[in-house]
Amino acid sequence: MSPKKRPASSVFFDVPGPKTRRITLIANIIGGAIVAAILVVIAMKLQVQGQLEPAMWNVVVQPISWTAYIIPGLISTLTAAAVAIVGALVFGLIFGVARLAHLGVVRWVAGVIVEFCRAVPVLLMMIFLWYWFGSISFIPDPSFWAVVVALILYNGSVIAELVRSGVINLPTGQHEAASAIGLTRIKALQFVLVPQALLSMLPALVAQLVVALKDSALGSAIAYSELLREARLLGTPLNTLQTLFVASVIFIVINYGLGKLGERLARTMRGRGLTLDEKMAEDMPINVPAAGAQAMLEDPDDEPIFDESTRLRQEATGDRRHL
Amino acid sequence: MEYLSRYWTFMAKYNVLNAFWVNVSLTLAAGALALILGTIAVTMRISPVSSLRLASTFYVNVFRDIPLTVVMVIMASVVWMQLNVSFSNDFHTDFYILAVIGLGIYHSSFIAEALRSGINTVPVGQAEAARGIGLTFLQSTRIVVLPQAFRGSIAPIGNTIIALIKNTTVASVTGVSTETSSTMQAAIEMGPQFIFLIFLTFALGYVIIVIPVGVLSTSLSRRLAVKR
């Protein structure tokens, strides 16, 4: 299947003839009418309750709402997400490499920590860290640090898995060449394997930034003054529909933009990956598929991005996002 | 040892098992809703009808990019409080139903994307053959494409279900006060001296639930994958 030439949607129906075109047109009108009807019903319900009155929306057009609530909230959201993604990258590199260590104890301990952080809900970690940090006097802003540390632990352990499977899925020649020129295992990881894995991880990192940004909204439950909490405060008690609408639009626009950026990066990376694969295939036609197959056997259940079958499958949709 | 037995007496006040049951039941209800909505969305997405395609794309993009917490807050403070949408006389029931709807809608967008990636694993020949024997769009989707797509998308659907299990804790924001994160918070407030043990108790509960689901989804995805 060649997804570039043929979008998945066109596979399921022939190039329509005149009769089918008519049917499709009718279906289109009916479908459009149903969608429009749903929207109209919702709008009418809102209208009946007076939610669409201009007076109700005053609160979100006043400059003071933006300068005192929405923009500071947005800045807090972005700060938490940015600090968290940097921390998560550091955490992920350390634990991803630790999971590749020769020493069994290191591998095992890192594995337990990563699996634990991936399985525990972020909200539970945040609540726990908030109370814990609150009881330690030298931590200045418990809410902020609870949000950031919880996001680092979760996203960091996801990134650790990406680093690990990224390294495992590199062609074996890379590892062999590194040992052939006399690099130790650590040096090989540092100079040859991890940099390549990191490059191919770039789109996934952007996707993880979206996850961190979305999860930072959990901070509203532990009194961190991010966008959601500020919007809620601004709208209390009777304008939350309007203020939360604005906050939602801001979240969606930012995340959608980042998602598109990730997709573009993924396309660029894939372009690079393909040229590399072709060269590899020319040099040693047997080794490349073997390396891929072995990586699949060793590591079939990991993040979908580096699982070969899922990767191929997802290439078609360009979707590399996680929850 | 004495510390542990004091912790045991302290935790007896909290019904931890029941709290986890609330989360599991939220997962089951919201998961069913998400699967239904996600299947509808993906069918619309691949249909020849462009207005439905557009609506589905919009729906998926909106609910994939909005934070779950925002959805859950909207369910409580907009849908319930400001718009007075109510399903019963008991506000606990209302909050539970609203939480299920919020979780279901949010995760349906990820189910739809998982299914769409599964549809891309179905070779073109399958759909062509289905059309070749005269099946209509809906017939070929239902009988030929979606069954294979489901089998090809078990791994990403499994990931979505695991995320859903963990995300049910956000139901506390909608006012479901019997679930784990609210129970844990109450316990920490009453017994701050046990904070680490309390967190460990609830965290291990999730590890015990999540890891088998992950193993199951991996083995299912391998066993049910269509050999090509």
Side-chain angles (χ1 to χ4, degrees), chain A residues 1 14 118 131 255 317 321, chain B residues 65 117 120 131 166 189:
Chain A
M1 176 162 67
D14 281 305
R118 266 175 14 139
Y131 281 98
N255 290 334
T317 56
R321 258 183 270 186
Chain B
D65 286 329
S117 72
N120 285 319
R131 284 192 285 117
K166 298 191 289 169
E189 268 185 12

Side-chain angles (χ1 to χ4, degrees), chain A residues 80 84 122 126 129 142-152 215-216 218-220 222 224:
Chain A
V122 180
M126 272 190 199
L129 292 170
S143 298
F144 173 76
W145 287 109
V147 170
V148 166
V149 174
L151 291 179
I152 287 177
D215 279 351
S216 72
L218 287 170
S220 64
I222 57 163
Y224 179 56

Side-chain angles (χ1 to χ4, degrees), chain B residues 11-13 16 21 33 35 40 52 68 71 88 97-98 109 131 138 164 167 185-186 198 215 217 227:
Chain B
M11 280 313 276
K13 279 179 288 191
V16 179
W21 167 243
L33 182 63
L35 278 173
I40 294 173
L52 296 183
L68 174 66
V71 176
S88 68
I97 294 172
L98 286 168
S109 65
R131 284 192 285 117
L138 277 180
L164 171 61
N167 282 340
Q185 186 162 4
I198 294 170
V215 171
S217 105
K227 294 271 184 297

